[in-house]
Amino acid sequence: MAGTPASLSGRDEGSFAYLTIKDRIPQILTKAIDTLHRHKNEFFEKHGEKGTEAEKKAISLLSKLRNELQTDKPIIPFVEKFVDTDIWNQYLEYQQSLLNENDGKPRWFYSPWLFVECYMYRRIHEAIIQSPPIDDFDVFKESKDQNFFESRESIIALCTHLQEVVRAIEDLDENQLKDEFFRLLQISLWGNKCDLSLSGGDTSSQKTNIINSLEELKPLILVNDMEHLWSLLTNCKKTREKASITRVDIVLDNSGFELVTDLVLADFLLSSQLATEIHFYGKMIPWFVSDVTIHDFNWLIEQMKESDDKCMSQCGAAWETYINMGRWVYQDHIFWTLPHEFCVMSQVAPGLYAELQKAHLILFKGDLNYRKLTGDRKWEFTVPFHQALNGFHPAPLCSIRTLKAEIQVGLRPGQAEQYMTSEPNWLTTGKYGVLQFDGPL
């Protein structure tokens, strides 16, 4: 890692990392505890006294975790056996090895922010799996579902738009197709604003019709590489043999409205023949409040299919068909919920890296993926994206994120400075976005 800058961490008092560890994470833990408490009657009805005891145990473990964090106790190893326990504990030893002898153990405010934030969500999962028979309970499910239901009007508008485009797709010329591709990419970008971990688990649904806002939002895109994506995919389409495939992989972020925007984009990619196959990647365990798991993915498509709105149900039915045909493939892998930056994926998860290498294009949604792509480090704003990826180049890739962490690379000289003076929090509010490409031009 020679030559790479230091990690963002809570040791920088007043930084977004510091405020996340000090305020947002305890708030998220408190909400998780409240959620368990509100479900105690349901646990009792389902499991009797065992359910009541399990709820108490899970709450006790999460309360202990919150206390450890707030008093900056040492980070402790995982004890409950799970598929990733050994890898996690090895990583804790690695973090220990980076410290001087006088530093003691890794602690919440003095370790890399990416590591401690991932560790916290993994500890929530440990508290739940240590509490059978409620060991499959998702403490974030309610808020994810609420985000979907509260975004209903926006989802209807988006599905209506998609249905109109798909019906007319044969009649669109190349420029119209390109305009539509750019429109749906931008909708997927701004859909990333709906992030429940940023709001501490408070509602963050999409209540306005995003399609009508795209022109006024365009100046807020700090890096806009949509042209590169268009030329890559149209080139694939033109040179594709009849039997061959063009595969686009989407590494998902949030459930609810954002997932709908991603599925709408994926539908368009197939309908326009810019791609023939889409692979989605989600999380194996509940993660960062609103991240997509297989349960969220299937639940959302079922909700769409069963909707009383015609366009929503048509979309849901079409998406189920894509899955049944194998043209949409959902995959998860434990690597996505490890604390490792992506530059070590080829060593830590070589099978996943080899899978990504099969894609013609990989879209990485959201802020956590950007932090892992760039190592969550204190890069200069003008450092090229390719350099910050630190050797992670499985295939041409594009980050589609709204800014919610104090990291951004690949900006023009002077570009960051113009925001720093007028908007001190420009990096963390989700107001600005990037569609940032890395690959052969």
Side-chain angles (χ1 to χ4, degrees):
M1 302 297 283
T4 54
S7 300
L8 297 174
S9 93
R11 71 172 64 223
D12 302 318
E13 205 164 314
S15 68
F16 192 66
Y18 170 82
L19 294 170
T20 296
I21 299 164
K22 179 179 167 289
D23 299 327
R24 271 174 52 227
I25 289 180
Q27 188 183 341
I28 286 163
L29 282 169
T30 300
K31 279 188 177 296
I33 290 165
D34 289 347
T35 300
L36 284 163
H37 191 67
R38 275 188 290 103
H39 283 77
K40 67 177 182 181
N41 291 341
E42 179 193 316
F43 296 144
F44 178 74
E45 283 163 22
K46 209 169 172 184
H47 307 290
E49 281 302 324
K50 283 185 177 172
T52 305
E53 290 308 310
E55 177 246 350
K56 285 179 186 166
K57 182 178 182 184
I59 286 176
S60 165
L61 290 167
L62 291 181
S63 301
K64 178 177 176 289
L65 171 61
R66 185 174 56 185
N67 179 260
E68 287 172 27
L69 186 160
Q70 291 178 315
T71 54
D72 201 24
K73 292 281 191 300
I75 304 269
I76 58 174
F78 291 96
V79 292
E80 190 71 18
K81 196 67 189 152
F82 193 64
V83 62
D84 64 350
T85 305
D86 291 343
I87 307 174
W88 260 103
N89 286 340
Q90 283 163 16
Y91 191 83
L92 298 190
E93 287 171 17
Y94 164 70
Q95 285 295 331
Q96 176 73 60
S97 75
L98 299 178
L99 298 175
N100 300 321
E101 279 182 30
N102 307 332
D103 289 341
K105 300 272 183 198
R107 301 204 327 269
W108 289 88
F109 283 87
Y110 288 86
S111 299
W113 175 35
L114 179 64
F115 158 51
V116 295
E117 199 168 11
C118 290
Y119 173 81
M120 190 277 293
Y121 285 100
R122 181 59 181 78
R123 280 283 300 276
I124 292 176
H125 183 64
E126 177 164 80
I128 299 299
I129 60 173
Q130 281 184 299
S131 309
I134 64 164
D135 46 350
D136 60 351
F137 184 72
D138 180 352
V139 293
F140 305 129
K141 180 166 173 34
E142 273 185 350
S143 50
K144 288 184 276 194
D145 294 357
Q146 182 187 1
N147 174 281
F148 173 80
F149 291 127
E150 288 183 353
S151 305
R152 176 182 161 87
E153 294 310 311
S154 296
I155 292 170
I156 289 172
L158 198 46
C159 290
T160 305
H161 177 76
L162 176 69
Q163 292 297 318
E164 288 167 1
V165 170
V166 169
R167 275 197 297 273
I169 205 116
E170 299 295 329
D171 303 322
L172 299 184
D173 64 29
E174 183 136 333
N175 282 334
Q176 290 171 312
L177 213 54
K178 181 182 182 179
D179 288 347
E180 198 49 55
F181 177 53
F182 284 6
R183 187 176 290 122
L184 295 178
L185 274 172
Q186 289 171 82
I187 288 169
S188 177
L189 166 64
W190 299 118
N192 182 241
K193 278 188 169 187
C194 297
D195 187 330
L196 293 163
S197 71
L198 184 70
S199 61
D202 290 335
T203 182
S204 65
S205 51
Q206 180 66 38
K207 294 192 171 107
T208 56
N209 181 353
I210 205 165
I211 304 169
N212 300 334
S213 311
L214 294 181
E215 274 312 305
E216 63 194 70
L217 291 169
K218 216 170 201 173
L220 306 178
I221 303 176
L222 305 183
V223 179
N224 189 342
D225 289 336
M226 293 193 293
E227 289 283 354
H228 295 320
L229 304 187
W230 172 252
S231 43
L232 185 148
L233 291 177
T234 48
N235 196 41
C236 286
K237 184 177 174 179
K238 283 167 189 165
T239 57
R240 190 165 66 224
E241 301 295 327
K242 273 207 167 157
S244 68
I245 64 164
T246 299
R247 173 171 153 179
V248 174
D249 287 15
I250 304 177
V251 184
L252 298 167
D253 189 16
N254 298 302
S255 190
F257 180 72
E258 181 177 0
L259 178 56
V260 175
T261 69
D262 298 335
L263 299 182
V264 165
L265 175 62
D267 190 328
F268 173 78
L269 290 173
L270 293 191
S271 302
S272 62
Q273 297 176 19
L274 287 169
T276 60
E277 197 175 290
I278 312 285
H279 287 236
F280 300 96
Y281 297 88
K283 308 298 195 298
M284 276 184 75
I285 61 176
W287 198 247
F288 277 65
V289 186
S290 44
D291 285 21
V292 179
T293 66
I294 184 65
H295 304 294
D296 301 320
F297 190 85
N298 291 338
W299 177 87
L300 185 138
I301 290 176
E302 191 61 30
Q303 289 295 319
M304 299 286 291
K305 207 177 68 168
E306 300 299 323
S307 172
D308 56 10
D309 177 79
K310 188 180 165 193
C311 289
M312 277 179 74
S313 63
Q314 282 174 339
C315 284
W319 298 347
E320 188 176 65
T321 303
Y322 286 146
I323 292 166
N324 293 338
M325 290 168 68
R327 298 189 69 197
W328 277 12
V329 181
Y330 179 96
Q331 297 170 266
D332 48 27
H333 193 286
I334 205 62
F335 183 82
W336 304 118
T337 49
L338 291 177
H340 301 67
E341 49 201 280
F342 290 164
C343 65
V344 300
M345 185 193 288
S346 56
Q347 292 99 55
V348 177
L352 176 60
Y353 191 84
E355 190 59 40
L356 291 176
Q357 286 180 306
K358 297 174 188 173
H360 293 82
L361 172 66
I362 311 166
L363 304 178
F364 284 92
K365 288 301 306 287
D367 214 59
L368 179 60
N369 279 323
Y370 195 81
R371 291 169 60 192
K372 289 187 170 190
L373 282 165
T374 56
D376 209 35
R377 296 175 177 278
K378 297 177 183 179
W379 294 104
E380 296 288 332
F381 294 120
T382 52
V383 163
F385 187 37
H386 186 85
Q387 182 185 332
L389 291 171
N390 208 17
F392 180 73
H393 310 291
L397 61 87
C398 183
S399 166
I400 302 178
R401 65 144 343 196
T402 55
L403 279 59
K404 302 168 198 155
E406 287 171 329
I407 177 163
Q408 180 58 53
V409 296
L411 296 184
R412 297 185 307 278
Q415 194 179 2
E417 287 71 14
Q418 73 186 67
Y419 299 109
M420 286 161 79
T421 46
S422 58
E423 296 178 65
N425 299 327
W426 67 284
L427 282 166
T428 57
T429 57
K431 175 180 174 180
Y432 294 96
V434 296
L435 292 133
Q436 194 162 25
F437 178 75
D438 176 70
L441 301 178

